[in-house]
Each structure stands twice: as C-alpha cells, then as structure tokens.
Amino acid sequence: MSHSGGADPRMPSASKPYASSPISATDLPADYSGFFAIAFGIVGLMLRYKLCSWLAIICCAQSLANMRNVENDLKQVVMAMTVQFWMCIDCLDCKF
Amino acid sequence: MAKYSSPSYWLLRFYVPRGETLWFYLALVSAISLLGQELARCSALASPDPTHFEGFGEEDALESDSEEFEDGPIEILIPPPTVTQSNFETHHGPPEPSSPEPKPKPSSSSFEYWDEDEFEGLPIDPSPRTENPTENSSSPPEITQQSPSPKTLPSRSFHVEIICVSFLISFIINYFTGKRENENIALAWASCFATKDTIFDKNFSLLGTGDGKDTPLLLKEGQNIFKFYASGRRYCQGLLATMELQSRHDLLSRIYNFVVPCKDEITFEVYMNDENMDHVLFAMARKKLAKVIHKEVRDLQRYAGLLSVPMNRKWVSEELAVMSESREVASDLITEAVLDQVFGEKAFEKFGKGFISFHFSDQHAGSHRKMLVFKFSLPNANNMADMTRLVALVPYYIDLVGRYKLSSQARSKTEAARAKAAQEIYKELQNVRQEAIQRKKAERRKLMEEAEAKLSAEALRKKEEKERARQLKKTMPKVKMTRAH
C-alpha cells in the first residue's frame, strides 16, 4: 500500500543518534506498592499483626518487580529490601 | 519350694517389725509417687535435662537432710528424708491444683507445685522463675499453654505462612514467565517490522539505539516497556516506537487485568523537520476516545474542533471521529488510498481493529513542536502480520505531511488563529514578569523599613540632634569674619 513514489526515502546523512530524554524523579509514576509495603510493615511491627508483615513483604516484591531503572536505583533497592526484611522478621513469629 | 527357699521372703515376713510397717508403707508409696512424677516429667519434656534434677537438689539444700537428692532420682528410696521434701517448693510460684495421686498429706503437697522446676532447665523458656510472675506478662500464658500441651508446635496454625509463601513462590514464577512472554511479543514485532528487508529497514537508514551495526534493535526500559528508534529519512528527524505491554511479570497486575482487560499498545512518535511540516493540526480516534482526547490535549482544545461527516465525499468508518483545525486539511489527509486500505467502512472491519488514535500537530506541548503520533494496539505474538497495513500508514503519512502545503485560504485562517494564541501567550508572559518586578520592589521596601526600625533609640536621638543643629545653623545669621592683622 502507498509506496512513496519509488525513490528511496532513506537519507543516511540526516540520521541522528538516539538521545534518551532524561526523566526526573518527580516525573515517574508514583510507587504505590512501595508506599504500601512500608505502611504495612510499620503497622505490622507496631500492632504485631503477622498478616500485615506478610502483606508488606508481598508489596515489596511487587514494587521490586515493577522497578524501571535497576542499575540507577540499586542502592535504593538494597536499602528498601533490608528495611523490609528487618521490619518483618521481627514480627513473623508473633501471635496472629 | 521356690517360695520358701527365698530368704528375702522370710526376711520381709519376719524381720520387718510390725510397729514400723506404717513407715515402710509410707516410704514405698512416696518412692513410687516420686518415680511416677519423674517419669511423667520426662515424657512431658522432649529432652529431660539433668540440670533440673540439680534444681531439686539445690532447693533441698535450703532444708536439712537433702544430701540424698544430689545423687540423683534413683536414691530416693531411703525412707526418712522424703518427708522433708514437703517444704522446699512451697515458697515458689503459683500453686497448681492438687495432683490426682493418692498420697499421704505432707509429701503429697510437695508434688503439686511442680511448674517452677519444670521450666528451670528448659531450653525453650529459660527464665520462668520470677518473684512476681505478673510482671512478665508473657510467662503466665506460656505456662498455661505449656502445662496442658507441652509440645508447642502442633497448637500453632501456619495457615497465613503457607498462603503467603505459596503466593510469593507463584509471584516469583510468574515474574519469569511473564517477562519471557513480554520479550517474545516485542521480539516478534521487531522481527516482523524492524529486521532486514522489512518496512522500517526500507524506510530508515539507522535502526536501533546504538551507533554500529551490532547494536540491538530494541531498548528495554522496564519489564513491560520496549523502545525502538529509527532515523535517517527525508522529512523527519527520527521515529521512536514505544511498546507498552501488559504487566505480565507482576502477578497482582495480571490478576487485575483479568477483571479489567487491558491491551498491549504501541506508540509511534515521528519528529518532523521544521521546514517540512505546515500548519497541520489533525486528530482521529474512536468516538468515545475522541471526546476525551479533545478535552485533554491542549493544542486540540485550543485550535481544533470535532468535524461532522461531510456529505459530498467518502469518509471514515462511523466508529471513528475526526478533529481538525480546518476541514480542508482533514479532507486532504484522509485520502482515497487510506480509506480503501484501512479506514473505509469495509476495510475498517477487517484491518482497523488495532487502530487507537492519530494526532498530527505542529503545536505539540512538549519538547518537540512538530510531531506525528500514531497509536495502535498490538496483536498476539503469532499474529503480528495483522498490523502490517497499520504500520504501513506511518511512512505514508510522513511523506504526505512532509510534502503538504496548505492553500492560501486555509493558511490565512490558521495563521490568524495562531497569531491570536501567540499574543495571548505573550500577554501572559508580560503579566508574569510585571508581577515579579512588583514583588521585588515590595520586598526591597520591606527590608528598608525593617532596617530603620532596627536602629536603637540612641542612634535615633543622635539623628534628631543632628537634624536640630542643622536647622539652628540655618536660622542663625551668617556672620562674616575676616582676619585682622
């Protein structure tokens, strides 16, 4: 369909290399699952609810899975994971 | 013969004096009960700890005649000291209800209070012995929990753990399978449209995000976002195709997408050269979406309106709505070829299923002003060829818009509209600048006033005196003086 007049449309001289537009941290879509992970973790720790701690772990896993720039945010990731881990491990053997 | 030949029989019969049978029976019964207690305790604990027998011995050290118990439970059979056991536990801990064994009074009371010693050597709970057991709130429930059912494991249910761990395992499995599925879809698209001798290879000289020939075609930004870049064509600076697939790697999103269905989308953004795009403002989408786009997109809101179906010519399918600044532009962009191939009534049913929207504008809000934006939905990995006609629209429209020149009438209208908009923007800028200047002036004034107010009272007085002296000088007559020799 609709071939452009027969001439080769390519112009190698006009090619520009890819320049990725830098995305600032505020433009990223909000990380709700990370927020819920921390919220559940704190609630579970303070009220000693096992279910809340497990939900926090699940939310943490989801926010990790949805993360975009793994290389740039590696420090953040490691920090978030260790915080989650220590918040939940204290609570996991408490009474339900 | 055996009966009468055993010496112990005769001894028992004749050499234990009658007067002391009471003592003998007491000793026997207490020994048996002690043994029974020990056996019961051993079966209660998983591992009988010899230290808690020492505890027995330690407690008895407080009383007299307790040396026998340090040797261990077997030597309990020596009769008299058993009676003294009765006191050693009375001052420890809450008393348990009396044990069911029939015992003589003093020794029976001693075996009722057996919780303290039970927990002394316990590996699980090393500190039950407190002066006030109520201070340690966890110990009474633990004592009550452990005394009826000594093994802790079976009484606890692990439902929550089992459910959550199985969910996490399935989450991890789904992460890898979903990731692979998304990659397969992206690779299927690339192999159909971006590899050698495909449509983009024939239209663009540079494919992919790198410089050389070995760089990969697709750029993976997330587990569900893939980008394809192409450059080196007439009329445009480049093309960026963004594939936004369903979040198949995320189990919760996948469950959500079962309930609220979601499509895999691909968005082509073509960056047109400044000299190659005239005042074109055109958008097309399905009817509901068109209304939403018209409200949300700024340049469409400002310049364009929904067009009604013209009478005199063939038009797009009824499911679609067109928005444009001028009818002439819209008519020129919806050519016969396009209608026959994709957007006409018949063709749309067959080939138009994947179409979502077009947006061509030279007043784009964003980094690049002159852009063509095409949005389609992706078919399955196996049916990628279904969207061939839709993808072929991209280079077709690049050429069409790149060569297009408005007629003088249309241009005058569009220019008038844009000039108005530019003036409004300029006025807004002016207002903003003036406000900024006024704010700065007000701030400076405030600073001055504050500085004056800060001057101390003395400084004010000095100032006032100076002022008065100056005034007096002015009023006094001026006396001219000359030097006298």
Side-chain angles (χ1 to χ4, degrees):
Chain A
M1 162 211 168
S2 49
H3 289 291
S4 46
D8 189 6
R10 288 180 279 189
M11 279 172 64
S13 54
S15 57
K16 282 173 100 180
Y18 176 63
S20 65
S21 51
I23 308 169
S24 66
T26 50
D27 283 346
L28 285 170
D31 187 13
Y32 289 115
S33 39
F35 167 72
F36 279 125
I38 293 178
F40 279 129
I42 290 175
V43 166
L45 189 67
M46 301 194 77
L47 303 179
R48 298 194 73 85
Y49 273 144
K50 220 195 298 184
L51 185 62
C52 277
S53 305
W54 280 110
L55 282 173
I57 290 180
I58 289 170
C59 287
C60 179
Q62 197 197 3
S63 94
L64 275 177
N66 284 333
M67 210 176 42
R68 293 230 179 148
N69 294 328
V70 184
E71 309 86 33
N72 296 348
D73 300 338
L74 194 62
K75 261 192 233 170
Q76 249 185 16
V77 167
V78 170
M79 234 176 54
M81 277 188 68
T82 39
V83 163
Q84 280 293 312
F85 182 70
W86 289 115
M87 276 208 290
C88 298
I89 202 143
D90 183 44
C91 212
L92 286 177
D93 61 347
C94 61
K95 257 190 351 177
F96 176 47
Chain B
M1 275 309 266
K3 193 180 170 189
Y4 296 103
S5 62
S6 133
S8 55
Y9 172 72
W10 293 111
L11 272 169
L12 274 171
R13 230 183 135 200
F14 296 114
Y15 285 85
V16 173
R18 290 272 172 213
E20 286 176 299
T21 48
L22 184 62
W23 292 111
F24 175 72
Y25 278 117
L26 267 176
L28 196 61
V29 166
S30 62
I32 291 168
S33 63
L34 254 182
L35 258 178
Q37 293 287 336
E38 288 306 317
L39 284 171
R41 223 175 286 152
C42 287
S43 65
L45 301 169
S47 53
D49 199 342
T51 55
H52 87 266
F53 298 134
E54 286 173 17
F56 253 95
E58 280 169 22
E59 297 318 303
D60 284 326
L62 297 168
E63 307 291 332
S64 58
D65 299 335
S66 57
E67 304 92 336
E68 291 85 356
F69 296 94
E70 292 171 14
D71 296 335
I74 306 167
E75 275 72 32
I76 298 169
L77 288 172
I78 299 164
T82 58
V83 180
T84 61
Q85 281 181 46
S86 60
N87 297 326
F88 83 96
E89 283 193 65
T90 49
H91 63 279
H92 290 293
E96 285 284 309
S98 57
S99 57
E101 282 180 87
K103 289 172 222 162
K105 299 162 279 175
S107 50
S108 67
S109 57
S110 65
F111 302 116
E112 292 170 9
Y113 314 131
W114 56 284
D115 358 70
E116 298 310 314
D117 292 306
E118 180 178 351
F119 301 126
E120 211 185 349
L122 267 184
I124 300 165
D125 211 65
S127 60
R129 194 178 300 281
T130 54
E131 292 304 313
N132 307 316
T134 51
E135 280 176 14
N136 191 2
S137 58
S138 57
S139 57
E142 278 166 358
I143 289 168
T144 52
Q145 200 183 35
Q146 287 182 1
S147 51
S149 59
K151 289 185 187 169
T152 55
L153 288 172
S155 62
R156 245 180 110 184
S157 70
F158 285 101
H159 299 307
V160 180
E161 277 88 347
I162 290 169
I163 292 170
C164 290
V165 169
S166 57
F167 185 84
L168 277 172
I169 290 171
S170 55
F171 191 93
I172 291 168
I173 293 171
N174 179 73
Y175 177 80
F176 290 107
T177 55
K179 186 175 123 169
R180 214 182 314 140
E181 248 182 272
N182 278 351
E183 281 170 4
N184 284 343
I185 294 175
L187 288 171
W189 183 87
S191 64
C192 196
F193 297 111
T195 46
K196 214 162 177 233
D197 287 337
T198 54
I199 185 164
F200 284 121
D201 187 49
K202 289 180 192 163
N203 273 286
F204 291 90
S205 63
L206 173 72
L207 298 176
T209 52
D211 299 330
K213 290 180 186 173
D214 292 338
T215 51
L217 286 170
L218 293 175
L219 178 70
K220 185 175 172 184
E221 267 200 359
Q223 302 302 338
N224 61 329
I225 295 185
F226 297 89
K227 291 201 171 169
F228 168 70
Y229 180 75
S231 182
R233 196 188 194 277
R234 63 183 176 217
Y235 305 136
C236 64
Q237 291 172 12
L239 168 143
L240 183 66
T242 307
M243 279 184 266
E244 286 173 14
L245 307 172
Q246 285 184 31
S247 296
R248 291 184 178 85
H249 60 287
D250 177 9
L251 188 60
L252 293 168
S253 297
R254 216 166 181 177
I255 293 168
Y256 179 73
N257 287 335
F258 275 131
V259 179
V260 179
C262 174
K263 287 189 209 167
D264 298 330
E265 287 179 3
I266 184 165
T267 307
F268 293 95
E269 288 176 350
V270 181
Y271 307 104
M272 297 297 284
N273 292 335
D274 283 335
E275 62 272 14
N276 288 119
M277 188 164 176
D278 211 345
H279 295 170
V280 172
L281 195 71
F282 174 82
M284 187 162 75
R286 288 170 199 261
K287 287 202 166 145
K288 272 192 206 167
L289 187 63
K291 287 182 195 164
V292 173
I293 289 175
H294 191 226
K295 279 186 202 163
E296 285 180 4
V297 180
R298 212 178 66 187
D299 51 345
L300 287 175
Q301 205 182 41
R302 193 178 279 169
Y303 301 109
L306 277 160
L307 292 183
S308 54
V309 180
M311 292 293 131
N312 54 350
R313 55 162 291 172
K314 277 203 293 186
W315 202 240
V316 294
S317 160
E318 278 178 357
E319 292 178 33
L320 300 173
V322 176
M323 288 164 276
S324 179
E325 203 176 4
S326 78
R327 190 172 275 278
E328 190 187 316
V329 167
S331 305
D332 287 339
L333 287 178
I334 299 176
T335 59
E336 292 275 341
V338 163
L339 286 171
D340 285 335
Q341 296 275 326
V342 187
F343 291 122
E345 289 290 344
K346 292 178 202 169
F348 191 69
E349 284 167 21
K350 265 201 230 169
F351 302 108
K353 290 296 163 196
F355 172 73
I356 296 179
S357 70
F358 282 166
H359 181 204
F360 308 156
S361 170
D362 66 327
Q363 300 285 323
H364 246 281
S367 54
H368 209 98
R369 300 287 270 179
K370 303 201 173 190
M371 266 199 341
L372 313 179
V373 180
F374 305 80
K375 231 184 201 182
F376 306 121
S377 72
L378 282 171
N380 287 335
N382 302 327
N383 302 335
M384 269 301 158
D386 290 350
M387 68 181 300
T388 316
R389 292 205 182 187
L390 291 171
V391 174
L393 284 173
V394 176
Y396 177 76
Y397 270 115
I398 295 176
D399 281 334
L400 188 62
V401 173
R403 282 191 277 238
Y404 183 66
K405 295 283 172 225
L406 281 161
S407 72
S408 50
Q409 285 172 338
R411 170 165 288 186
S412 56
K413 280 189 215 163
T414 56
E415 280 207 19
R418 277 144 218 254
K420 236 204 226 172
Q423 266 197 353
E424 281 172 23
I425 292 170
Y426 183 68
K427 271 187 201 167
E428 275 185 41
L429 271 171
Q430 284 267 332
N431 285 340
V432 168
R433 246 182 269 154
Q434 284 206 355
E435 276 175 27
I437 291 168
Q438 283 187 3
R439 245 183 283 147
K440 276 188 193 166
K441 275 192 190 168
E443 279 178 23
R444 253 182 255 157
R445 247 181 273 150
K446 269 191 202 168
L447 279 169
M448 295 269 288
E449 282 170 19
E450 278 174 22
E452 282 184 19
K454 275 186 192 162
L455 285 173
S456 60
E458 282 194 22
L460 270 171
R461 241 186 291 139
K462 280 186 190 170
K463 252 195 181 176
E464 280 174 21
E465 279 184 18
K466 275 190 191 167
E467 291 263 347
R468 252 181 261 147
R470 235 187 285 152
Q471 298 251 343
L472 275 170
K473 264 194 184 173
K474 277 187 189 170
T475 51
M476 267 179 59
K478 284 190 181 169
V479 179
K480 275 190 180 175
M481 283 202 293
T482 55
R483 277 184 91 172
H485 296 295

